[in-house]
Amino acid sequence: MSYSPNQQVDVIIIGGGPAGMSAALVLGRARRHVLVLDEALPRHRVTRESHGFLTRDGVSPSELRQVARQQIAAYPTVRFVQETVVEAEGIDGKFEVKTQNGQVYHARKLLFAVGMKDLPMELEGLEAVYGKSAYVCPYCDGWEMQNRQIAVIARSAFALHLTRTVSGWTDDLMVFTHGEQLPDEQKQQLESRGIPVFETPIQRIESENGETRAIVLEDGRVIERTAIFFAPQLEPGSTLPSVLGCETMDSGAMVVDESGRSSIAGIFGAGDGASQKYQVAAAVAAGSMAGAGINTELLESDWEHRAASLS
Ligand SMILES: Cc1cc2nc3c(=O)[nH]c(=O)nc-3n(C[C@H](O)[C@H](O)[C@H](O)COP(=O)(O)OP(=O)(O)OC[C@H]3O[C@@H](n4cnc5c(N)ncnc54)[C@H](O)[C@@H]3O)c2cc1C
């Protein structure tokens, strides 16, 4: 089914990653007219395999996307367009969004499923291993990296938390704070468990075909390591929710209720960009809940309209 840009749809979903596609599926099955505007840069695109999502453990992110798109294609009222949304305005029942290509679309409800994105990586060599032997989430990739010589790179108090978590997958751990002093108590906790702490700044990460080989420190030491877990710097996939006045967390992610409702009527959020849990299963669940939440509000409004139109 095709829409002209001026035709109002029920819902515009901004972002077509796992959260946005899950909401699109629920809304398509509810016979809603849905337009998904997606710039198609899901956060896990750097990784070879996605893990931990039941029935899809170990598939590539592109296969996950392809299967989802194939299944959603069965619902003809859902349309996907590859576009970046740059502006949004309006009130509940009447929103307008503009894309980078100058197209304007209208909808009764908006769902932001824009994810979080990594800020540019400041460590030389990290990008080359990201998604291949350097990861951010042990639950996603710890199994594949188990028993390796793991470097935990984290500059804040998060170092202790991340190291304790990664210790479930290997005994061979070293912590690199890249020039930051860890509080004594934390350093003592790590060292008393046989985990060395390096506070010297890192000069670069050495690797071969995406496989980590060593951490090179600014003082010249070369520390052999074969995998990395690190704490990335993130920002929301889009600043539009906060521009529209939606309440946000410290991370910039939207504050939403269990049905994805934001603090602004008619605007919903789902997935990484409205959460503190960054996993496909959580994003899919949130998208599904938001889809149902949006449909509930549309049903309520249509119910009232039906009575009014007969009186
Ligand atoms: C290296 C790595 C490995 C990972 N491995 C796993 C794993 O194995 N298992 C797991 O469960 N999770 C994994 N994750 C986490 C997983 O990627 C996220 O939890 C998941 O992608 C979140 O889905 P989402 O739909 O919320 O956001 P995303 O998947 O990030 O999708 C957001 C979409 O919105 C689009 N978008 C943003 N702004 C706009 C705009 N203004 N206009 C139009 N479109 C826009 C983006 O381009 C993107 O397509 C991994 C993450 C990383 C970084």
mmCIF file of all heavy atoms in Angstrom, residues 14-20 37-44 46-47 49-52 65 83-86 113-116 118 130-131 134-136 140-141 237-238 240 270-273 278-281 283, ligand 1:
data_model
loop_
_atom_site.group_PDB
_atom_site.id
_atom_site.type_symbol
_atom_site.label_atom_id
_atom_site.label_comp_id
_atom_site.label_asym_id
_atom_site.label_seq_id
_atom_site.Cartn_x
_atom_site.Cartn_y
_atom_site.Cartn_z
ATOM 1 N N ILE A 14 9.522 6.458 14.004
ATOM 2 C CA ILE A 14 10.825 6.988 13.593
ATOM 3 C C ILE A 14 11.875 6.017 14.122
ATOM 4 O O ILE A 14 12.078 5.896 15.338
ATOM 5 C CB ILE A 14 11.031 8.420 14.135
ATOM 6 C CG1 ILE A 14 9.890 9.318 13.611
ATOM 7 C CG2 ILE A 14 12.393 8.966 13.710
ATOM 8 C CD1 ILE A 14 9.757 10.625 14.321
ATOM 9 N N GLY A 15 12.506 5.298 13.205
ATOM 10 C CA GLY A 15 13.477 4.267 13.581
ATOM 11 C C GLY A 15 12.923 2.883 13.313
ATOM 12 O O GLY A 15 11.871 2.519 13.843
ATOM 13 N N GLY A 16 13.640 2.123 12.477
ATOM 14 C CA GLY A 16 13.172 0.783 12.112
ATOM 15 C C GLY A 16 14.130 -0.305 12.540
ATOM 16 O O GLY A 16 14.378 -1.262 11.811
ATOM 17 N N GLY A 17 14.686 -0.179 13.749
ATOM 18 C CA GLY A 17 15.479 -1.265 14.349
ATOM 19 C C GLY A 17 14.518 -2.255 15.005
ATOM 20 O O GLY A 17 13.309 -2.238 14.738
ATOM 21 N N PRO A 18 15.031 -3.107 15.883
ATOM 22 C CA PRO A 18 14.170 -4.109 16.522
ATOM 23 C C PRO A 18 12.940 -3.506 17.222
ATOM 24 O O PRO A 18 11.838 -4.047 17.105
ATOM 25 C CB PRO A 18 15.103 -4.780 17.533
ATOM 26 C CG PRO A 18 16.463 -4.639 16.916
ATOM 27 C CD PRO A 18 16.465 -3.319 16.217
ATOM 28 N N ALA A 19 13.099 -2.387 17.910
ATOM 29 C CA ALA A 19 11.957 -1.786 18.624
ATOM 30 C C ALA A 19 10.912 -1.260 17.642
ATOM 31 O O ALA A 19 9.709 -1.534 17.774
ATOM 32 C CB ALA A 19 12.441 -0.657 19.535
ATOM 33 N N GLY A 20 11.367 -0.509 16.642
ATOM 34 C CA GLY A 20 10.433 0.071 15.677
ATOM 35 C C GLY A 20 9.727 -0.997 14.868
ATOM 36 O O GLY A 20 8.519 -0.919 14.619
ATOM 37 N N LEU A 37 9.833 5.477 9.216
ATOM 38 C CA LEU A 37 10.903 6.261 8.597
ATOM 39 C C LEU A 37 12.203 5.876 9.292
ATOM 40 O O LEU A 37 12.345 6.064 10.504
ATOM 41 C CB LEU A 37 10.629 7.759 8.767
ATOM 42 C CG LEU A 37 9.335 8.247 8.090
ATOM 43 C CD1 LEU A 37 9.029 9.684 8.507
ATOM 44 C CD2 LEU A 37 9.434 8.144 6.578
ATOM 45 N N ASP A 38 13.122 5.313 8.540
ATOM 46 C CA ASP A 38 14.315 4.725 9.166
ATOM 47 C C ASP A 38 15.574 5.075 8.379
ATOM 48 O O ASP A 38 15.647 4.819 7.175
ATOM 49 C CB ASP A 38 14.148 3.194 9.207
ATOM 50 C CG ASP A 38 15.313 2.508 9.881
ATOM 51 O OD1 ASP A 38 15.942 3.116 10.773
ATOM 52 O OD2 ASP A 38 15.594 1.346 9.525
ATOM 53 N N GLU A 39 16.547 5.642 9.063
ATOM 54 C CA GLU A 39 17.800 5.929 8.351
ATOM 55 C C GLU A 39 18.686 4.681 8.259
ATOM 56 O O GLU A 39 19.743 4.703 7.636
ATOM 57 C CB GLU A 39 18.558 7.104 8.973
ATOM 58 C CG GLU A 39 19.140 6.838 10.330
ATOM 59 C CD GLU A 39 19.874 8.046 10.903
ATOM 60 O OE1 GLU A 39 20.070 9.025 10.176
ATOM 61 O OE2 GLU A 39 20.228 7.995 12.093
ATOM 62 N N ALA A 40 18.222 3.598 8.900
ATOM 63 C CA ALA A 40 18.845 2.268 8.741
ATOM 64 C C ALA A 40 20.280 2.175 9.246
ATOM 65 O O ALA A 40 21.150 1.622 8.580
ATOM 66 C CB ALA A 40 18.737 1.803 7.290
ATOM 67 N N LEU A 41 20.527 2.718 10.434
ATOM 68 C CA LEU A 41 21.834 2.561 11.074
ATOM 69 C C LEU A 41 21.645 1.972 12.482
ATOM 70 O O LEU A 41 21.950 2.619 13.485
ATOM 71 C CB LEU A 41 22.541 3.920 11.171
ATOM 72 C CG LEU A 41 22.937 4.579 9.853
ATOM 73 C CD1 LEU A 41 23.424 6.002 10.071
ATOM 74 C CD2 LEU A 41 24.006 3.747 9.135
ATOM 75 N N PRO A 42 21.124 0.732 12.582
ATOM 76 C CA PRO A 42 20.920 0.149 13.919
ATOM 77 C C PRO A 42 22.240 -0.022 14.639
ATOM 78 O O PRO A 42 23.273 -0.257 13.999
ATOM 79 C CB PRO A 42 20.260 -1.209 13.627
ATOM 80 C CG PRO A 42 20.649 -1.535 12.234
ATOM 81 C CD PRO A 42 20.811 -0.224 11.516
ATOM 82 N N ARG A 43 22.206 0.100 15.950
ATOM 83 C CA ARG A 43 23.463 0.161 16.695
ATOM 84 C C ARG A 43 24.303 -1.101 16.541
ATOM 85 O O ARG A 43 25.533 -1.027 16.518
ATOM 86 C CB ARG A 43 23.145 0.437 18.180
ATOM 87 C CG ARG A 43 24.384 0.600 18.988
ATOM 88 C CD ARG A 43 24.218 1.418 20.216
ATOM 89 N NE ARG A 43 25.466 1.311 20.941
ATOM 90 C CZ ARG A 43 25.608 0.696 22.092
ATOM 91 N NH1 ARG A 43 24.543 0.183 22.709
ATOM 92 N NH2 ARG A 43 26.783 0.607 22.667
ATOM 93 N N HIS A 44 23.673 -2.261 16.433
ATOM 94 C CA HIS A 44 24.458 -3.506 16.389
ATOM 95 C C HIS A 44 24.964 -3.840 14.982
ATOM 96 O O HIS A 44 25.442 -4.946 14.752
ATOM 97 C CB HIS A 44 23.672 -4.676 16.979
ATOM 98 C CG HIS A 44 22.365 -4.967 16.317
ATOM 99 N ND1 HIS A 44 21.577 -6.043 16.648
ATOM 100 C CD2 HIS A 44 21.693 -4.298 15.356
ATOM 101 C CE1 HIS A 44 20.492 -6.028 15.908
ATOM 102 N NE2 HIS A 44 20.522 -4.987 15.131
ATOM 103 N N VAL A 46 27.612 -3.141 13.628
ATOM 104 C CA VAL A 46 29.058 -3.416 13.588
ATOM 105 C C VAL A 46 29.386 -4.864 13.940
ATOM 106 O O VAL A 46 30.508 -5.316 13.712
ATOM 107 C CB VAL A 46 29.853 -2.509 14.563
ATOM 108 C CG1 VAL A 46 29.736 -1.059 14.177
ATOM 109 C CG2 VAL A 46 29.408 -2.724 16.008
ATOM 110 N N THR A 47 28.418 -5.571 14.511
ATOM 111 C CA THR A 47 28.743 -6.905 15.007
ATOM 112 C C THR A 47 28.396 -7.974 13.969
ATOM 113 O O THR A 47 27.542 -7.761 13.120
ATOM 114 C CB THR A 47 28.029 -7.160 16.359
ATOM 115 O OG1 THR A 47 28.597 -8.285 16.981
ATOM 116 C CG2 THR A 47 26.549 -7.367 16.211
ATOM 117 N N GLU A 49 27.377 -11.183 14.712
ATOM 118 C CA GLU A 49 26.255 -12.018 15.137
ATOM 119 C C GLU A 49 25.528 -11.357 16.290
ATOM 120 O O GLU A 49 26.153 -10.735 17.141
ATOM 121 C CB GLU A 49 26.770 -13.379 15.639
ATOM 122 C CG GLU A 49 27.401 -14.239 14.579
ATOM 123 C CD GLU A 49 27.909 -15.558 15.152
ATOM 124 O OE1 GLU A 49 27.977 -15.688 16.404
ATOM 125 O OE2 GLU A 49 28.223 -16.450 14.355
ATOM 126 N N SER A 50 24.216 -11.538 16.324
ATOM 127 C CA SER A 50 23.422 -11.053 17.450
ATOM 128 C C SER A 50 23.024 -12.263 18.293
ATOM 129 O O SER A 50 22.590 -13.286 17.747
ATOM 130 C CB SER A 50 22.173 -10.340 16.906
ATOM 131 O OG SER A 50 21.298 -10.036 17.954
ATOM 132 N N HIS A 51 23.182 -12.136 19.600
ATOM 133 C CA HIS A 51 22.918 -13.290 20.470
ATOM 134 C C HIS A 51 21.839 -12.998 21.504
ATOM 135 O O HIS A 51 21.598 -11.843 21.846
ATOM 136 C CB HIS A 51 24.202 -13.694 21.216
ATOM 137 C CG HIS A 51 25.339 -13.997 20.299
ATOM 138 N ND1 HIS A 51 26.403 -13.138 20.138
ATOM 139 C CD2 HIS A 51 25.547 -15.041 19.460
ATOM 140 C CE1 HIS A 51 27.244 -13.651 19.251
ATOM 141 N NE2 HIS A 51 26.743 -14.798 18.817
ATOM 142 N N GLY A 52 21.264 -14.102 21.992
ATOM 143 C CA GLY A 52 20.398 -14.017 23.168
ATOM 144 C C GLY A 52 18.941 -13.703 22.882
ATOM 145 O O GLY A 52 18.164 -13.550 23.821
ATOM 146 N N ARG A 65 17.061 -8.392 10.610
ATOM 147 C CA ARG A 65 16.281 -7.306 9.997
ATOM 148 C C ARG A 65 15.484 -7.820 8.785
ATOM 149 O O ARG A 65 14.320 -7.502 8.610
ATOM 150 C CB ARG A 65 17.299 -6.233 9.561
ATOM 151 C CG ARG A 65 16.727 -4.978 8.999
ATOM 152 C CD ARG A 65 17.906 -4.077 8.637
ATOM 153 N NE ARG A 65 17.470 -2.808 8.160
ATOM 154 C CZ ARG A 65 17.145 -1.786 8.940
ATOM 155 N NH1 ARG A 65 17.230 -1.906 10.244
ATOM 156 N NH2 ARG A 65 16.750 -0.647 8.433
ATOM 157 N N GLU A 83 14.603 7.089 5.274
ATOM 158 C CA GLU A 83 14.721 8.552 5.371
ATOM 159 C C GLU A 83 15.170 8.907 6.789
ATOM 160 O O GLU A 83 14.822 8.208 7.739
ATOM 161 C CB GLU A 83 13.348 9.203 5.169
ATOM 162 C CG GLU A 83 12.848 9.179 3.747
ATOM 163 C CD GLU A 83 12.761 10.571 3.167
ATOM 164 O OE1 GLU A 83 13.693 11.365 3.428
ATOM 165 O OE2 GLU A 83 11.772 10.856 2.482
ATOM 166 N N THR A 84 15.827 10.045 6.923
ATOM 167 C CA THR A 84 16.175 10.548 8.252
ATOM 168 C C THR A 84 15.205 11.668 8.613
ATOM 169 O O THR A 84 15.042 12.618 7.839
ATOM 170 C CB THR A 84 17.617 11.110 8.242
ATOM 171 O OG1 THR A 84 18.482 10.070 7.795
ATOM 172 C CG2 THR A 84 18.041 11.578 9.621
ATOM 173 N N VAL A 85 14.584 11.543 9.762
ATOM 174 C CA VAL A 85 13.659 12.583 10.216
ATOM 175 C C VAL A 85 14.470 13.696 10.871
ATOM 176 O O VAL A 85 15.293 13.439 11.763
ATOM 177 C CB VAL A 85 12.622 12.001 11.207
ATOM 178 C CG1 VAL A 85 11.762 13.100 11.800
ATOM 179 C CG2 VAL A 85 11.761 10.961 10.497
ATOM 180 N N VAL A 86 14.241 14.931 10.444
ATOM 181 C CA VAL A 86 15.025 16.042 10.988
ATOM 182 C C VAL A 86 14.188 17.034 11.797
ATOM 183 O O VAL A 86 14.724 17.839 12.550
ATOM 184 C CB VAL A 86 15.792 16.799 9.871
ATOM 185 C CG1 VAL A 86 16.903 15.931 9.304
ATOM 186 C CG2 VAL A 86 14.873 17.262 8.756
ATOM 187 N N ALA A 113 11.633 5.312 18.006
ATOM 188 C CA ALA A 113 12.368 4.060 18.275
ATOM 189 C C ALA A 113 13.767 4.243 17.690
ATOM 190 O O ALA A 113 14.223 3.468 16.857
ATOM 191 C CB ALA A 113 11.633 2.886 17.640
ATOM 192 N N VAL A 114 14.405 5.321 18.134
ATOM 193 C CA VAL A 114 15.624 5.819 17.474
ATOM 194 C C VAL A 114 16.928 5.244 18.039
ATOM 195 O O VAL A 114 18.011 5.562 17.557
ATOM 196 C CB VAL A 114 15.686 7.366 17.544
ATOM 197 C CG1 VAL A 114 14.592 7.978 16.682
ATOM 198 C CG2 VAL A 114 15.554 7.861 18.985
ATOM 199 N N GLY A 115 16.819 4.387 19.067
ATOM 200 C CA GLY A 115 18.021 3.761 19.617
ATOM 201 C C GLY A 115 18.972 4.749 20.278
ATOM 202 O O GLY A 115 18.644 5.912 20.519
ATOM 203 N N MET A 116 20.158 4.238 20.607
ATOM 204 C CA MET A 116 21.264 5.068 21.099
ATOM 205 C C MET A 116 22.395 4.912 20.086
ATOM 206 O O MET A 116 22.482 3.896 19.400
ATOM 207 C CB MET A 116 21.747 4.590 22.471
ATOM 208 C CG MET A 116 20.731 4.687 23.587
ATOM 209 S SD MET A 116 20.262 6.377 24.048
ATOM 210 C CE MET A 116 21.636 6.861 25.088
ATOM 211 N N ASP A 118 26.757 5.316 19.295
ATOM 212 C CA ASP A 118 28.088 5.467 19.876
ATOM 213 C C ASP A 118 28.687 6.789 19.443
ATOM 214 O O ASP A 118 28.648 7.134 18.264
ATOM 215 C CB ASP A 118 29.005 4.344 19.378
ATOM 216 C CG ASP A 118 28.593 2.997 19.934
ATOM 217 O OD1 ASP A 118 28.864 2.754 21.122
ATOM 218 O OD2 ASP A 118 27.992 2.205 19.192
ATOM 219 N N TYR A 130 35.946 -3.309 17.182
ATOM 220 C CA TYR A 130 34.586 -3.196 17.727
ATOM 221 C C TYR A 130 33.644 -4.136 16.985
ATOM 222 O O TYR A 130 33.563 -4.122 15.757
ATOM 223 C CB TYR A 130 34.112 -1.747 17.578
ATOM 224 C CG TYR A 130 32.824 -1.406 18.319
ATOM 225 C CD1 TYR A 130 32.493 -2.022 19.508
ATOM 226 C CD2 TYR A 130 31.963 -0.446 17.823
ATOM 227 C CE1 TYR A 130 31.325 -1.703 20.193
ATOM 228 C CE2 TYR A 130 30.785 -0.103 18.495
ATOM 229 C CZ TYR A 130 30.484 -0.744 19.677
ATOM 230 O OH TYR A 130 29.333 -0.425 20.347
ATOM 231 N N GLY A 131 32.956 -4.970 17.753
ATOM 232 C CA GLY A 131 32.016 -5.912 17.132
ATOM 233 C C GLY A 131 32.682 -7.177 16.619
ATOM 234 O O GLY A 131 32.020 -8.063 16.081
ATOM 235 N N ALA A 134 35.978 -6.771 20.431
ATOM 236 C CA ALA A 134 35.726 -5.761 21.474
ATOM 237 C C ALA A 134 34.217 -5.519 21.539
ATOM 238 O O ALA A 134 33.592 -5.248 20.507
ATOM 239 C CB ALA A 134 36.447 -4.457 21.149
ATOM 240 N N TYR A 135 33.692 -5.635 22.734
ATOM 241 C CA TYR A 135 32.238 -5.559 22.900
ATOM 242 C C TYR A 135 31.893 -4.712 24.111
ATOM 243 O O TYR A 135 32.750 -4.370 24.927
ATOM 244 C CB TYR A 135 31.659 -6.970 23.065
ATOM 245 C CG TYR A 135 31.837 -7.820 21.834
ATOM 246 C CD1 TYR A 135 32.893 -8.731 21.743
ATOM 247 C CD2 TYR A 135 30.965 -7.696 20.754
ATOM 248 C CE1 TYR A 135 33.070 -9.498 20.605
ATOM 249 C CE2 TYR A 135 31.132 -8.464 19.611
ATOM 250 C CZ TYR A 135 32.183 -9.359 19.541
ATOM 251 O OH TYR A 135 32.359 -10.107 18.410
ATOM 252 N N VAL A 136 30.590 -4.449 24.229
ATOM 253 C CA VAL A 136 30.129 -3.617 25.337
ATOM 254 C C VAL A 136 29.258 -4.394 26.325
ATOM 255 O O VAL A 136 29.092 -3.971 27.466
ATOM 256 C CB VAL A 136 29.350 -2.385 24.806
ATOM 257 C CG1 VAL A 136 30.297 -1.448 24.064
ATOM 258 C CG2 VAL A 136 28.193 -2.784 23.882
ATOM 259 N N CYS A 140 25.548 -10.199 25.693
ATOM 260 C CA CYS A 140 25.420 -10.340 24.234
ATOM 261 C C CYS A 140 26.566 -11.165 23.658
ATOM 262 O O CYS A 140 26.358 -11.968 22.761
ATOM 263 C CB CYS A 140 25.418 -8.964 23.568
ATOM 264 S SG CYS A 140 24.070 -7.907 24.106
ATOM 265 N N ASP A 141 27.780 -10.962 24.157
ATOM 266 C CA ASP A 141 28.951 -11.527 23.473
ATOM 267 C C ASP A 141 29.948 -12.220 24.405
ATOM 268 O O ASP A 141 31.002 -12.657 23.948
ATOM 269 C CB ASP A 141 29.654 -10.406 22.686
ATOM 270 C CG ASP A 141 28.698 -9.788 21.675
ATOM 271 O OD1 ASP A 141 28.368 -10.466 20.692
ATOM 272 O OD2 ASP A 141 28.241 -8.652 21.887
ATOM 273 N N GLY A 237 19.744 8.347 19.629
ATOM 274 C CA GLY A 237 19.762 8.326 18.168
ATOM 275 C C GLY A 237 19.234 9.618 17.569
ATOM 276 O O GLY A 237 19.612 9.982 16.458
ATOM 277 N N SER A 238 18.366 10.310 18.293
ATOM 278 C CA SER A 238 17.820 11.584 17.816
ATOM 279 C C SER A 238 17.543 12.484 19.011
ATOM 280 O O SER A 238 17.142 12.006 20.073
ATOM 281 C CB SER A 238 16.510 11.321 17.063
ATOM 282 O OG SER A 238 15.803 12.529 16.867
ATOM 283 N N LEU A 240 15.243 14.761 18.759
ATOM 284 C CA LEU A 240 13.890 15.298 18.556
ATOM 285 C C LEU A 240 12.956 15.101 19.757
ATOM 286 O O LEU A 240 12.182 16.015 20.071
ATOM 287 C CB LEU A 240 13.265 14.699 17.287
ATOM 288 C CG LEU A 240 13.835 15.252 15.976
ATOM 289 C CD1 LEU A 240 13.236 14.513 14.782
ATOM 290 C CD2 LEU A 240 13.552 16.745 15.856
ATOM 291 N N ALA A 270 10.285 3.745 22.478
ATOM 292 C CA ALA A 270 10.555 2.318 22.734
ATOM 293 C C ALA A 270 11.984 1.995 22.335
ATOM 294 O O ALA A 270 12.570 2.650 21.474
ATOM 295 C CB ALA A 270 9.585 1.442 21.939
ATOM 296 N N GLY A 271 12.522 0.948 22.969
ATOM 297 C CA GLY A 271 13.862 0.470 22.620
ATOM 298 C C GLY A 271 14.952 1.195 23.383
ATOM 299 O O GLY A 271 14.693 1.884 24.383
ATOM 300 N N ASP A 272 16.183 1.053 22.889
ATOM 301 C CA ASP A 272 17.351 1.613 23.583
ATOM 302 C C ASP A 272 17.180 3.108 23.893
ATOM 303 O O ASP A 272 17.662 3.597 24.904
ATOM 304 C CB ASP A 272 18.608 1.463 22.727
ATOM 305 C CG ASP A 272 19.164 0.046 22.733
ATOM 306 O OD1 ASP A 272 18.488 -0.861 23.238
ATOM 307 O OD2 ASP A 272 20.293 -0.138 22.221
ATOM 308 N N GLY A 273 16.526 3.834 22.980
ATOM 309 C CA GLY A 273 16.372 5.279 23.138
ATOM 310 C C GLY A 273 15.334 5.676 24.177
ATOM 311 O O GLY A 273 15.085 6.869 24.387
ATOM 312 N N TYR A 278 20.025 -2.317 27.131
ATOM 313 C CA TYR A 278 20.334 -2.301 25.706
ATOM 314 C C TYR A 278 20.442 -3.722 25.168
ATOM 315 O O TYR A 278 21.534 -4.278 25.054
ATOM 316 C CB TYR A 278 21.642 -1.542 25.465
ATOM 317 C CG TYR A 278 21.630 -0.111 25.990
ATOM 318 C CD1 TYR A 278 22.777 0.473 26.509
ATOM 319 C CD2 TYR A 278 20.465 0.650 25.957
ATOM 320 C CE1 TYR A 278 22.764 1.783 26.972
ATOM 321 C CE2 TYR A 278 20.444 1.955 26.427
ATOM 322 C CZ TYR A 278 21.602 2.515 26.937
ATOM 323 O OH TYR A 278 21.584 3.809 27.397
ATOM 324 N N GLN A 279 19.305 -4.303 24.839
ATOM 325 C CA GLN A 279 19.300 -5.646 24.270
ATOM 326 C C GLN A 279 18.153 -5.773 23.286
ATOM 327 O O GLN A 279 17.093 -5.143 23.456
ATOM 328 C CB GLN A 279 19.142 -6.694 25.367
ATOM 329 C CG GLN A 279 20.436 -6.900 26.142
ATOM 330 C CD GLN A 279 20.475 -8.218 26.868
ATOM 331 O OE1 GLN A 279 19.509 -8.557 27.537
ATOM 332 N NE2 GLN A 279 21.558 -8.943 26.747
ATOM 333 N N VAL A 280 18.357 -6.636 22.284
ATOM 334 C CA VAL A 280 17.334 -6.815 21.252
ATOM 335 C C VAL A 280 16.022 -7.287 21.882
ATOM 336 O O VAL A 280 14.944 -6.762 21.558
ATOM 337 C CB VAL A 280 17.828 -7.820 20.180
ATOM 338 C CG1 VAL A 280 16.696 -8.183 19.221
ATOM 339 C CG2 VAL A 280 19.007 -7.221 19.407
ATOM 340 N N ALA A 281 16.108 -8.271 22.795
ATOM 341 C CA ALA A 281 14.873 -8.808 23.386
ATOM 342 C C ALA A 281 14.101 -7.706 24.115
ATOM 343 O O ALA A 281 12.863 -7.626 24.013
ATOM 344 C CB ALA A 281 15.200 -9.953 24.337
ATOM 345 N N ALA A 283 14.290 -4.471 23.487
ATOM 346 C CA ALA A 283 13.797 -3.505 22.495
ATOM 347 C C ALA A 283 12.537 -4.036 21.809
ATOM 348 O O ALA A 283 11.566 -3.300 21.596
ATOM 349 C CB ALA A 283 14.889 -3.212 21.467
HETATM 350 C C1 LIG B 1 28.584 -4.151 19.211
HETATM 351 C C2 LIG B 1 27.187 -4.435 19.680
HETATM 352 C C3 LIG B 1 26.764 -5.748 19.767
HETATM 353 C C4 LIG B 1 25.471 -6.012 20.225
HETATM 354 N N1 LIG B 1 25.101 -7.321 20.320
HETATM 355 C C5 LIG B 1 23.894 -7.606 20.782
HETATM 356 C C6 LIG B 1 23.503 -8.984 20.922
HETATM 357 O O1 LIG B 1 24.251 -9.901 20.591
HETATM 358 N N2 LIG B 1 22.288 -9.237 21.474
HETATM 359 C C7 LIG B 1 21.441 -8.234 21.870
HETATM 360 O O2 LIG B 1 20.356 -8.531 22.359
HETATM 361 N N3 LIG B 1 21.788 -6.936 21.722
HETATM 362 C C8 LIG B 1 22.981 -6.598 21.196
HETATM 363 N N4 LIG B 1 23.345 -5.289 21.079
HETATM 364 C C9 LIG B 1 22.376 -4.247 21.484
HETATM 365 C C10 LIG B 1 21.351 -4.024 20.352
HETATM 366 O O3 LIG B 1 22.035 -3.592 19.211
HETATM 367 C C11 LIG B 1 20.324 -2.959 20.758
HETATM 368 O O4 LIG B 1 19.791 -3.227 22.029
HETATM 369 C C12 LIG B 1 19.188 -2.910 19.743
HETATM 370 O O5 LIG B 1 19.684 -2.698 18.454
HETATM 371 C C13 LIG B 1 18.195 -1.807 20.125
HETATM 372 O O6 LIG B 1 17.182 -1.724 19.175
HETATM 373 P P1 LIG B 1 16.471 -0.315 18.881
HETATM 374 O O7 LIG B 1 15.451 -0.603 17.846
HETATM 375 O O8 LIG B 1 16.073 0.327 20.143
HETATM 376 O O9 LIG B 1 17.632 0.620 18.297
HETATM 377 P P2 LIG B 1 18.572 0.450 16.943
HETATM 378 O O10 LIG B 1 18.694 -1.001 16.640
HETATM 379 O O11 LIG B 1 19.766 1.219 17.233
HETATM 380 O O12 LIG B 1 17.664 1.106 15.837
HETATM 381 C C14 LIG B 1 17.366 2.487 15.814
HETATM 382 C C15 LIG B 1 17.056 2.858 14.375
HETATM 383 O O13 LIG B 1 16.551 4.215 14.358
HETATM 384 C C16 LIG B 1 17.172 4.899 13.280
HETATM 385 N N5 LIG B 1 17.111 6.337 13.527
HETATM 386 C C17 LIG B 1 17.706 7.057 14.533
HETATM 387 N N6 LIG B 1 17.404 8.370 14.399
HETATM 388 C C18 LIG B 1 16.608 8.479 13.301
HETATM 389 C C19 LIG B 1 15.985 9.573 12.633
HETATM 390 N N7 LIG B 1 16.099 10.831 13.083
HETATM 391 N N8 LIG B 1 15.263 9.322 11.507
HETATM 392 C C20 LIG B 1 15.127 8.066 11.028
HETATM 393 N N9 LIG B 1 15.695 6.978 11.633
HETATM 394 C C21 LIG B 1 16.425 7.185 12.740
HETATM 395 C C22 LIG B 1 18.598 4.332 13.268
HETATM 396 O O14 LIG B 1 19.253 4.588 12.033
HETATM 397 C C23 LIG B 1 18.293 2.846 13.485
HETATM 398 O O15 LIG B 1 18.012 2.170 12.267
HETATM 399 C C24 LIG B 1 24.601 -4.969 20.604
HETATM 400 C C25 LIG B 1 25.035 -3.636 20.495
HETATM 401 C C26 LIG B 1 26.303 -3.385 20.040
HETATM 402 C C27 LIG B 1 26.757 -1.952 19.934
#
